[in-house]
Amino acid sequence: MARTVRKRTVFFFEVVEAKRGQPRMDHQDWRGFLDRVAASESYERVVRSADDQLVGVIDSAVPVDHLQLAKITGEVPHQLDRSNGTIEALQVAVGKDVVHVTTICFLPYANIIGVLPGGFSAPRVSAITKWLNGVGLPWGEVELKPVIHARAREKLNRIEAVTEFTVQLEGVPADTVGALSAHGGLADSLRSFGQRHPDTSITLSLKVPQRGGRLSAMRRNRAATELRTDVLQFMPDLDEWMDESGVIRSVTGRVAVRDPHRQSLEYEPLDFLAHRITAQCDVPLAFTDGRSVDLRYAVDEIFAAARTHEQALQEACQYRPLA
């Protein structure tokens, strides 16, 4: 039987200060900010990002706190004329552009936003951050951090070493992998492998030898500390890779966590994806073409997901340490 819905993912991020340690902020007046954006001239809502332009738009007919972030790439898509079977450049009226859209909703607590990308080419975490800082926020520059379950956050903050780390990627088209951000060494290596072998599932596994091998205890400890650094550098890239592309299959590892009561290290497995608070939603085919999602439907789905996960989101925000 033909599918009638498409699975999409709603992501939750906390807006924090762009300072060392990313400290939390008191709940800000997002309604006032959105009203200012809505009242501004169109050129005041444009932020340039490399060759793209990011434009913030607010639908006045939707009463909830939301923002639609559109990316203008300058690309000219093609259209098929079924009457004669020819393909030609899509004719766009003067003053109009083809855009990729991400819908962002602002929750009424803890500076949390819910995000539903319209497709793989829609603005991601770095683009949203760049736009917010580009248009200017009254409380200064910000960053976006994925909302993590309170207990998982406490554990992540106590990781002192990583002895094993494994990332599994699905085989995807080379241009899809090439579009992924890569600021750290692990991400750059994975993207390079994906581009060279686009039809191959890839597993990258790093492991520090256990006792009894040729490495001394000092070298093993140093290797585990260095691997921890590489893994933490990979996390921001992972936040952007977690999207509708289906690239990421799993990210797991074995970490050394300090027991605050015994002041000792305990080694345990860790799933680096399970601790993020996200929500799956079903988008009827009538509301998506596979690349974009009906904008008003997206707003409804984000707030519905936020209501479902409200307790977990609230608990995550009550846990104060964030770094």
Side-chain angles (χ1 to χ4, degrees):
M1 187 172 69
R3 293 179 58 188
T4 58
V5 298
R6 290 186 184 275
K7 290 286 186 182
R8 307 305 285 265
T9 303
V10 175
F11 302 92
F12 294 101
F13 297 93
E14 183 176 0
V15 185
V16 300
E17 293 184 49
K19 297 179 180 178
R20 184 178 179 84
Q22 292 88 35
R24 279 199 167 104
M25 306 182 295
D26 293 331
H27 184 63
Q28 302 298 328
D29 179 19
W30 293 106
R31 179 70 265 167
F33 167 72
L34 295 172
D35 288 342
R36 177 168 68 84
V37 171
S40 63
E41 298 292 337
S42 58
Y43 70 88
E44 297 178 297
R45 293 183 267 113
V46 177
V47 173
R48 293 191 176 277
S49 176
D51 295 331
D52 302 332
Q53 296 182 63
L54 304 170
V55 186
V57 178
I58 295 173
D59 186 347
S60 59
V62 178
V64 295
D65 294 350
H66 77 288
L67 173 76
Q68 291 155 355
L69 187 59
K71 181 172 70 174
I72 305 174
T73 64
E75 299 172 352
V76 180
H78 287 74
Q79 61 183 2
L80 172 67
D81 186 337
R82 296 190 180 185
S83 64
N84 56 24
T86 61
I87 297 177
E88 59 185 11
L90 178 66
Q91 299 299 313
V92 181
V94 175
K96 296 187 177 182
D97 291 289
V98 175
V99 298
H100 305 281
V101 181
T102 290
T103 302
I104 306 165
C105 295
F106 296 79
L107 305 191
Y109 51 85
N111 303 309
I112 290 181
I113 60 174
V115 176
L116 181 58
F120 183 75
S121 298
R124 300 290 164 184
V125 178
S126 59
I128 298 171
T129 304
K130 188 165 189 175
W131 185 85
L132 288 173
N133 290 326
V135 296
L137 295 171
W139 40 90
E141 290 195 358
V142 298
E143 291 188 10
L144 301 185
K145 304 290 287 185
V147 181
I148 294 176
H149 289 280
R151 292 182 179 179
R153 169 69 69 183
E154 192 271 340
K155 177 181 290 187
L156 289 174
N157 286 339
R158 290 189 286 111
I159 293 177
E160 296 201 2
V162 177
T163 59
E164 296 180 27
F165 186 69
T166 301
V167 182
Q168 290 186 312
L169 306 183
E170 293 285 0
V172 294
D175 56 350
T176 300
V177 178
L180 298 175
S181 62
H183 303 293
L186 289 178
D188 189 59
S189 297
L190 286 165
R191 186 176 66 169
S192 177
F193 287 141
Q195 289 176 307
R196 291 172 57 189
H197 308 283
D199 300 316
T200 303
S201 296
I202 296 172
T203 299
L204 175 64
S205 185
L206 303 172
K207 183 176 181 180
V208 177
Q210 297 179 352
R211 295 178 181 178
R214 62 182 179 83
L215 296 185
S216 65
M218 180 180 295
R219 292 180 63 184
R220 286 198 304 271
N221 291 339
R222 183 173 61 199
T225 301
E226 292 173 346
L227 182 55
R228 171 185 179 274
T229 300
D230 289 339
V231 169
L232 293 181
Q233 290 177 346
F234 176 63
M235 289 300 105
D237 291 320
L238 178 62
D239 294 340
E240 292 222 12
W241 290 21
M242 291 294 297
D243 50 37
E244 297 302 314
S245 67
V247 173
I248 296 291
R249 181 191 298 174
S250 66
V251 182
T252 58
R254 183 171 179 80
V255 301
V257 179
R258 182 164 296 281
D259 187 325
H261 303 293
R262 300 179 181 177
Q263 290 301 308
S264 61
L265 291 178
E266 295 184 357
Y267 289 83
E268 57 185 83
L270 181 64
D271 184 332
F272 286 88
L273 302 184
H275 58 264
R276 286 167 167 74
I277 300 178
T278 60
Q280 293 291 311
C281 63
D282 293 328
V283 181
L285 293 186
F287 292 99
T288 178
D289 60 4
R291 294 181 178 272
S292 60
V293 179
D294 178 85
L295 301 179
R296 295 190 184 183
Y297 189 88
V299 169
D300 291 340
E301 285 299 304
I302 292 173
F303 278 108
R307 288 190 295 271
T308 300
H309 295 274
E310 183 171 359
Q311 182 176 348
L313 292 168
Q314 293 271 21
E315 290 177 351
C317 297
Q318 291 172 2
Y319 180 73
R320 297 304 301 176
L322 190 67

